[in-house]
Amino acid sequence: MRVMIIGASGLLGKELVREWSDSDLIRPTSQEVDIRNAESVASAVRKNRPEWIVLTAAYTDVDGCETNVDHAFAVNRDGPVIVAKAAKAAGARLLFISSDYVFDGTKITPYETSDPRNPQSVYGKTKAEAEVNLLDLMPECCIVRTSWLFGVGGKCFPDTILKAAATRSSLDVVNDQRGCPTYATDLAKTIVQLCRKNASGIVHATNAGDCTWFEFAGEIVRSAGLVTVVRPVSSEQFPRPARRPAYSVLSPHSLHALGIEMPSWRDALSRYLKQRLS
Ligand SMILES: NC(=O)c1ccc[n+]([C@@H]2O[C@H](COP(=O)([O-])OP(=O)(O)OC[C@H]3O[C@@H](n4cnc5c(N)ncnc54)[C@H](OP(=O)(O)O)[C@@H]3O)[C@@H](O)[C@H]2O)c1
C-alpha cells in the first residue's frame, strides 16, 4: 500500500511510521507540506500519488487553541479541507484523526458515532467543524475519533506523571473527567487495519475501558513501582483555559462492527512502561 502520513513527526505519526515500515511510505515534514498551504499539499499529493493519506497533523495544544484561535482553525479545520481537496483530485482515500472533545461530556454512557457534536473548547470546535466539512466534501473519507493519547514519541500524561512522581511525595490529579486512555502504538495498528479494510465514515478508536485522570495517574504510579501518593481533586481546583468534557468515553461499537478490537488501557499502559524503560 502506498501511504502518505501528514504529521509523521508527532506522537501518533511516529508509531504509524513504525507500524507501516513494510509499506511504501511518504512522510513529508511540516516544512515540506504545510497543510495551511493548498499548493504545497496539492503538489506533494500529485507527485506521490498515495492510495491513502493519513492526516495526523494538527495544532494539538488544547489550551493554546483558546488564545491562538485563528491558527487553531487554520490548521485543524481548514487544513484538513485543503488535504481532502487534494486527495479527491488525485483519487486518494483520506483518513483524518479527530477527538473526543467534539462532545460536550454531558452523557453518562459511552458516546456513539451518531451522537450530536457539541464542543466546549476552541480545539473541539476546530475538530467538529473539520469533520462536518470533510463529510460534506468527501463522504467516503474515514474519520477516526480518539482520546487521551499516550506513547513514547512525545509529551503525554503518563510521562508527565512519572517525571513528577520521581521528585514529589504526593500529586493532586483531577477526578471529575472520565475518558479512555489510548496507546499510540495500539491506535497506529488500528489505523493500518482500517486502511486495509477500506473503512469509511466515523469510527471511534480507543483502548478498551475507561477511567478518570486520577485513576489513570494512580495506575501509572503503582505500575511503575513508585510510592508517591496520588490524591483526587476537582477540575475547579485546577482551572485551565480550555473546558474539558466531564465524560468523553467513546463507544467501541463502530470499531467492533469492522471486526477490530483494541486491548484494555491497563494492558496498554504496562506495554508503554516497558517500552519507555527499554
Ligand atoms: N494527543 C491527544 O491526546 C489526542 C487526543 C485526541 C485526538 N488527537 C489527535 O490525534 C492526532 C495526532 O496527535 P499527536 O498527539 O500525535 O500530535 P502531535 O504529537 O502534537 O503532532 C502534531 C503533528 O502535526 C504536525 N503539524 C502541525 N502543524 C502542521 C501544519 N500546519 N502542517 C503540517 N503539519 C503540521 C507537526 O509537525 P512538526 O513536528 O513539524 O511541528 C506534528 O508532526 C491529532 O490530529 C490530534 O488532534 C490527539
Side-chain angles (χ1 to χ4, degrees):
M1 196 166 3
R2 193 162 168 76
V3 183
M4 177 182 278
I5 301 171
I6 306 183
S9 63
L11 175 60
L12 176 59
K14 282 183 193 141
E15 293 303 322
L16 279 168
V17 170
R18 246 193 284 271
E19 284 305 318
W20 249 317
S21 54
D22 59 344
S23 289
D24 191 2
L25 269 192
I26 307 129
R27 41 189 177 113
T29 64
S30 60
Q31 285 76 38
E32 289 160 348
V33 171
D34 184 324
I35 58 170
R36 294 168 300 175
N37 180 332
E39 191 36 49
S40 88
V41 175
S43 76
V45 173
R46 257 196 320 265
K47 192 173 111 205
N48 291 292
R49 296 252 149 222
E51 290 165 67
W52 273 96
I53 300 174
V54 177
L55 177 58
T56 64
Y59 176 42
T60 56
D61 178 349
V62 174
D63 290 322
C65 285
E66 296 293 314
T67 39
N68 301 313
V69 178
D70 290 348
H71 181 70
F73 278 100
V75 177
N76 292 354
R77 179 194 60 192
D78 303 339
V81 170
I82 286 173
V83 175
K85 283 182 179 160
K88 204 170 173 174
R93 299 287 323 273
L94 174 65
L95 185 147
F96 168 67
I97 309 295
S98 189
S99 162
D100 55 331
Y101 286 7
V102 299
F103 296 120
D104 59 18
T106 54
K107 269 189 89 176
I108 51 168
T109 54
Y111 279 94
E112 302 295 341
T113 53
S114 55
D115 280 323
R117 306 171 185 90
N118 187 21
Q120 300 295 300
S121 61
V122 170
Y123 172 80
K125 285 190 182 110
T126 64
K127 289 288 189 181
E129 289 183 25
E131 288 187 2
V132 172
N133 292 344
L134 287 187
L135 289 169
D136 189 38
L137 184 74
M138 204 187 197
E140 72 281 14
C141 74
C142 183
I143 294 176
V144 177
R145 291 191 189 129
T146 192
S147 61
W148 298 21
L149 213 52
F150 66 96
V152 293
K155 214 176 132 215
C156 66
F157 182 77
D159 186 55
T160 305
I161 292 294
L162 290 170
K163 283 183 180 143
T167 56
R168 286 161 54 182
S169 59
S170 70
L171 295 174
D172 292 345
V173 184
V174 295
N175 195 30
D176 53 9
Q177 290 168 31
R178 180 166 291 277
C180 307
T182 305
Y183 188 26
T185 306
D186 292 345
L187 181 59
K189 285 187 204 301
T190 295
I191 289 169
V192 172
Q193 283 179 278
L194 288 169
C195 292
R196 295 208 167 117
K197 285 173 184 272
N198 252 319
S200 63
I202 302 175
V203 179
H204 286 174
T206 70
N207 277 120
D210 57 73
C211 59
T212 66
W213 291 113
F214 159 73
E215 290 163 352
F216 192 21
E219 187 71 17
I220 293 163
V221 167
R222 255 191 313 278
S223 304
L226 299 169
V227 292
T228 307
V229 175
V230 182
R231 292 186 303 226
V233 293
S234 72
S235 302
E236 270 177 19
Q237 290 169 269
F238 263 99
R240 306 273 296 271
R243 212 165 138 207
R244 270 85 173 160
Y247 181 93
S248 62
V249 176
L250 299 178
S251 162
H253 287 150
S254 52
L255 199 61
H256 292 175
L258 289 160
I260 304 173
E261 296 227 9
M262 290 178 69
S264 75
W265 67 263
R266 282 195 169 80
D267 174 80
L269 176 63
S270 74
R271 284 178 286 120
Y272 162 79
L273 291 171
K274 279 193 200 119
Q275 192 188 5
R276 193 175 178 270
L277 288 173
S278 66

